[in-house]
């Protein structure tokens, strides 16, 4: 699935997975999540996290969009801060958990969406005056001037907080995952992250078909 990019400083990893088997908990995935979180807790403090290469690059990407990353924190940094503070990752579902561990491994925001709820074409752009959506776990999220993914129905996702319209629920059988990577990130590194995501979708969510591409 192609995504048109209207914002500077970013490339998108786009992963699609079909025939997913939704589950609130996957017994094999849970220990892998724990191991990755423990590794990140050992790797970073809150102070050193702010100086990590991936975090600095994503913050630079936000600044290119005229966004203050301290006020509007990238979702990847928010997840890593929880882990470093020993608050743990949210356990949502196998599909969402797979995306969250990919995000903390890379330091890049991942958006995980129910593909059936999205109507192409898709564009990454600034939100327009008056645009808003109901954010996951939040009240109405006002989008003017903020980075958004939008389809034919309007905005549905963001590297800060996604919408309830496109969220993964128990009815989801196909996922669209978007990795928001800084433009300077090596494509080979982004491809490796997408391959790992595909492997986990197959192993922990029973995906029968996966594919990925890069939009620049």
């Amino acid at each position: 699935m192609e995504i048109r990019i209207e914002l500077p400083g970013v490339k998108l990893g786009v992963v699609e997975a079909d025939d997913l088997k939704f589950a609130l908990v996957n017994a094999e995935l849970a220990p892998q999540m724990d191991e990755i979180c423990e590794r990140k807790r050992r790797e970073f403090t809150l102070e050193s996290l702010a100086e990590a290469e991936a975090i600095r690059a994503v913050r630079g990407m936000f600044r290119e969009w005229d966004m203050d990353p301290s006020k509007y924190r990238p979702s990847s940094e928010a997840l890593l801060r929880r882990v470093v503070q020993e608050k743990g990752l949210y356990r949502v579902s196998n599909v969402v958990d797979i995306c969250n561990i990919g995000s903390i491994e890379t330091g890049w925001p991942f958006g995980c969406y129910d593909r059936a709820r999205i109507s192409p074409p898709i564009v990454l752009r600034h939100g327009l005056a008056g645009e808003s959506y109901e954010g996951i776990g939040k009240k109405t999220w006002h989008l003017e001037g903020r980075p958004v993914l939008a389809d034919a129905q309007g905005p549905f996702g963001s590297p800060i907080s996604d919408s309830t319209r496109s969220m993964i629920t128990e009815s989801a059988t196909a996922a669209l995952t978007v990795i928001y990577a800084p433009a300077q990130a090596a494509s080979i590194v982004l491809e490796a992250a997408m391959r790992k995501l595909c492997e986990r979708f197959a192993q922990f969510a029973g995906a029968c078909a996966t594919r990925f591409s890069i939009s620049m």
Side-chain angles (χ1 to χ4, degrees), residues 87-147:
K87 295 179 180 178
L89 281 182
Y90 302 102
R91 303 300 173 97
V92 183
S93 68
N94 56 340
V95 178
V96 175
D97 293 349
I98 287 166
C99 292
N100 283 345
I101 60 176
S103 183
I104 69 166
E105 283 180 321
T106 61
W108 300 330
F110 281 42
C112 191
Y113 312 108
D114 184 341
R115 203 178 66 213
R117 297 170 182 251
I118 297 170
S119 304
I122 302 173
V123 58
L124 176 66
R125 59 169 171 79
H126 276 123
L128 305 177
E131 287 187 320
S132 65
Y133 58 53
E134 182 182 350
I136 298 173
K138 293 183 173 68
K139 296 181 180 179
T140 301
W141 184 246
H142 297 285
L143 302 171
E144 182 177 359
R146 297 177 180 177

Side-chain angles (χ1 to χ4, degrees), residues 1 3 12-16 176-178 194 211-213 215:
M1 187 178 291
I3 299 178
L12 301 177
V14 184
V15 177
E16 295 178 80
L176 170 69
T177 301
V178 178
M194 291 190 291
R211 54 207 172 276
F212 63 84
S213 61
S215 294

Side-chain angles (χ1 to χ4, degrees), residues 15 179 188-201 210 212:
V15 177
I179 303 174
I188 191 170
V189 177
L190 179 53
E191 288 174 5
M194 291 190 291
R195 290 185 189 279
K196 176 60 73 175
L197 189 64
C198 289
E199 291 171 4
R200 286 176 172 149
F201 277 142
T210 57
F212 63 84

